[in-house]
């Protein structure tokens, strides 16, 4: 056998033996407690119709962009959309990327130069870690949401320093002490970058705007594949940052631009967001209801989160898999989050709540969970 093929087989076997082998699962009709469709936009018929109408009213639009933004792929519509989104989030400018992964990769890899410093919260998303790795900067991580640990790393920083956090953490659902972190970064002359992927929806403009900190943040990443129910992302910041990324962010430069229908979907999703006060209220109500009803006992922990992401730490891949299996057998789509995606000993089930989950569904979910927890206490 070809040694490369042999290597692949061995690595996959290792995964299987460790109980963390990944495979793609077909879609299912269980009650959704898994997707990032927090406000139901991905399944919204109203949004579907408005996207179709927008595409139809632009008959000259191409099916595919047929080039990168810097070559044939730029259209006025994309630039207008960037301005609209930037206005909505009260930013000077914005630049679209084809995904949140691309946005973080392009932003972090292009900003920090050799001799500069990037400091990451230890729980930031893989796309941020990968972007930082692609730069030639010195890299540090600080203990999750820990100001002392952050300050210790800020004191080590050389060159330009970038601190990267999320406003709602994707795997824990919690929120950082944003104002204190910002004060600290300002004290040390560092630039703060906030990934708002999971905050938009719960906070329509994101947590940064909710706290009125938008003028003081160097850059924000907003993704469209979660509460906005579409796909893509924008980096928000100054006009200079936008121009810089157009010149230096490789994941922006060397890729075909998003097709028109993706841009139309994003534009229409933002229109719907303006009208979604009720969906946001329902989401908040469901978060409260879930937290009131779940009883994790002494052995397990419900992580401290006010967001749509609620996690119960079950401490092993086996237990997390078993809990997810029980819930799935009861018609709930809940998935286990296993190591190595997260640290060993913190394996969990991650429950994503939505505006459209009914009270009955939430109660039945909590009852099933509580039974499982009691049985394994
Ligand atoms: C915090 C965070 N940033 C970025 C991304 C990547 O976004 P996208 O799915 O649009 O590539 C994710 C996706 O899971 C995320 O959770």
């Amino acid at each position: 056998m070809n040694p490369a093929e042999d290597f692949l087989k061995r690595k996959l076997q290792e995964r299987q033996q460790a109980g963390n082998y990944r495979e793609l699962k077909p879609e299912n009709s269980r009650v959704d407690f898994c997707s990032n469709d927090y406000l139901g936009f991905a399944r919204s018929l109203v949004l579907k119709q408005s996207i179709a109408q927008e595409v139809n009213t632009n008959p000259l639009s191409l099916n595919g962009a047929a080039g990168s933004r810097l070559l044939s792929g730029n259209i006025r519509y994309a630039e207008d959309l960037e301005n609209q989104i930037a206005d909505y989030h009260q930013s000077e400018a914005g630049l679209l990327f084809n995904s949140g992964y691309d946005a973080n990769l392009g932003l972090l890899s292009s900003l920090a130069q050799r001799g500069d410093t990037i400091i990451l919260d230890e729980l930031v998303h893989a796309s941020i870690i990968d972007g930082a790795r692609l730069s030639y900067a010195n890299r540090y991580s600080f203990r999750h949401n820990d100001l002392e640990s952050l300050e210790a790393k800020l004191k080590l920083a050389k060159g330009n320093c970038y601190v990267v956090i999320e406003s709602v953490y994707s795997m824990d659902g919690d929120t950082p002490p944003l104002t204190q972190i910002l004060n600290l970064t300002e004290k040390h002359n560092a630039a703060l970058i906030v990934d708002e992927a999971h905050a938009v929806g719960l906070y329509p403009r994101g947590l940064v705007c909710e706290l009125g900190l938008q003028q003081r943040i160097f850059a924000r990443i907003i993704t469209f594949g979660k509460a906005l129910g579409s796909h893509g992302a924008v980096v928000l910041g100054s006009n200079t940052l936008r121009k810089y990324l157009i010149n230096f962010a490789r994941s922006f430069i060397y890729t075909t631009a998003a097709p028109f229908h993706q841009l139309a979907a994003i534009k229409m999703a933002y229109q719907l967001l303006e009208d979604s006060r009720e969906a946001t209220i329902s989401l908040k109500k469901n978060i409260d209801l879930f937290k009131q009803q779940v009883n994790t006992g002494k052995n397990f922990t419900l992580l401290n989160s006010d967001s749509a992401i609620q996690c119960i730490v079950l401490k092993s891949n086996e237990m997390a898999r078993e809990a997810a299996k029980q819930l799935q057998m009861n018609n709930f789509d809940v998935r286990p989050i296993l190591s190595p995606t997260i640290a060993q000993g913190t394996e969990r089930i991650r429950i994503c709540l939505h505006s459209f989950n009914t009270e009955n569904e939430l109660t039945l979910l909590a009852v099933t969970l509580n039974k499982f927890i009691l049985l394994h206490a």
Side-chain angles (χ1 to χ4, degrees):
M1 192 190 296
N2 181 310
E5 194 71 20
D6 198 29
F7 166 79
L8 307 186
K9 288 220 162 103
R10 197 158 33 81
K11 292 302 282 181
L12 290 172
Q13 259 164 15
E14 278 170 22
R15 276 257 150 123
Q16 261 157 344
Q17 277 155 11
N20 54 24
Y21 182 74
R22 294 170 167 135
E23 57 193 334
L24 300 173
K25 304 260 168 34
E27 73 272 38
N28 64 72
S29 57
R30 297 188 189 103
V31 180
D32 181 3
F33 283 114
C34 168
S35 80
N36 299 318
D37 189 17
Y38 303 126
L39 299 179
F41 280 25
R43 66 200 64 203
S44 162
L45 288 179
V46 172
L47 182 55
K48 197 180 226 175
Q49 280 160 4
S50 65
I51 296 167
Q53 200 178 351
E54 182 72 0
V55 173
N56 286 339
T57 48
N58 288 275
L60 296 181
S61 63
L62 300 180
N63 296 323
S68 69
R69 291 280 297 277
L70 281 165
L71 296 176
S72 61
N74 193 38
I75 51 174
R76 181 67 185 270
Y77 192 92
E79 294 193 54
D80 289 346
L81 181 60
E82 284 169 333
N83 286 332
Q84 280 167 27
I85 296 173
D87 282 350
Y88 180 79
H89 293 283
Q90 299 171 8
S91 172
E92 190 176 289
L95 185 69
L96 291 169
F97 283 76
N98 287 352
S99 71
Y101 188 90
D102 285 354
N104 278 327
L105 213 66
L107 177 69
L108 288 163
S109 62
S110 66
L111 278 179
Q113 309 294 301
R114 204 180 291 281
D116 289 341
T117 305
I118 301 180
I119 304 177
L120 309 177
D121 183 289
E122 64 183 343
L123 292 192
V124 290
H125 189 257
S127 54
I128 298 172
I129 297 171
D130 292 357
R133 274 191 189 149
L134 278 177
S135 81
Y136 294 101
N138 304 311
R139 286 179 279 121
Y140 299 105
S141 66
F142 65 99
R143 278 197 305 277
H144 182 49
N145 286 343
D146 185 324
L147 295 169
E148 262 179 46
S149 173
L150 170 59
E151 182 146 46
K153 299 295 154 61
L154 280 163
K155 285 180 181 160
L156 299 174
K158 297 200 174 69
N160 286 338
C161 177
Y162 303 91
V163 174
V164 193
I165 59 171
E166 294 175 24
S167 49
V168 168
Y169 280 89
S170 61
M171 285 298 151
D172 283 34
D174 61 342
T175 289
L178 199 41
T179 310
Q180 288 100 311
I181 289 181
L182 181 58
N183 290 341
L184 210 51
T185 54
E186 284 176 343
K187 179 175 148 196
H188 290 270
N189 238 341
L192 184 61
I193 298 174
V194 184
D195 182 328
E196 298 243 57
H198 296 276
V200 171
L202 189 61
Y203 312 103
R205 292 178 163 73
L207 183 61
V208 167
C209 275
E210 193 79 10
L211 298 174
L213 302 174
Q214 56 276 21
Q215 305 300 329
R216 294 166 59 194
I217 306 280
F218 178 76
R220 280 174 279 166
I221 299 93
I222 310 281
T223 64
F224 310 133
K226 304 185 194 302
L228 282 148
S230 44
H231 193 256
V234 69
V235 174
L236 301 171
S238 67
N239 272 318
T240 313
L241 176 65
R242 183 173 184 276
K243 286 179 194 158
Y244 180 87
L245 293 173
I246 292 171
N247 278 277
F248 295 103
R250 294 168 70 85
S251 63
F252 173 85
I253 300 166
Y254 298 109
T255 192
T256 301
F260 180 80
H261 55 80
Q262 183 178 338
L263 302 179
I266 296 163
K267 183 171 171 179
M268 295 301 111
Y270 267 94
Q271 267 183 23
L272 190 60
L273 194 59
E274 303 250 24
D275 286 340
S276 292
R277 224 177 89 79
E278 270 176 36
T280 305
I281 293 170
S282 298
L283 175 60
K284 287 187 174 149
K285 204 178 89 207
N286 284 346
I287 295 168
D288 289 343
L289 200 63
F290 176 80
K291 288 172 64 173
Q292 282 158 21
Q293 296 192 350
V294 167
N295 180 3
T296 51
K298 280 195 216 118
N299 280 4
F300 304 117
T301 319
L302 174 67
L303 294 182
N304 187 11
S305 154
D306 292 325
S307 77
I309 300 166
Q310 297 288 328
C311 295
I312 298 172
V313 176
L314 295 162
K315 302 180 200 163
S316 73
N317 278 349
E318 295 71 45
M319 194 69 105
R321 268 192 211 283
E322 186 53 32
K325 195 168 132 201
Q326 290 297 321
L327 291 164
Q328 286 163 12
M329 275 163 36
N330 283 277
N331 201 33
F332 299 116
D333 190 7
V334 173
R335 310 288 171 96
I337 307 289
L338 308 173
S339 54
T341 298
I342 46 165
Q344 224 172 12
T346 72
E347 294 87 351
R348 64 197 62 180
I349 49 168
R350 177 175 179 265
I351 293 158
C352 292
L353 301 169
H354 309 99
S355 57
F356 54 83
N357 292 133
T358 65
E359 195 172 328
N360 195 29
E361 288 167 356
L362 283 162
T363 305
L364 282 174
L365 174 78
V367 168
T368 316
L369 253 174
N370 291 347
K371 261 195 216 156
F372 177 87
I373 288 164
L374 204 61
L375 198 68
H376 294 86

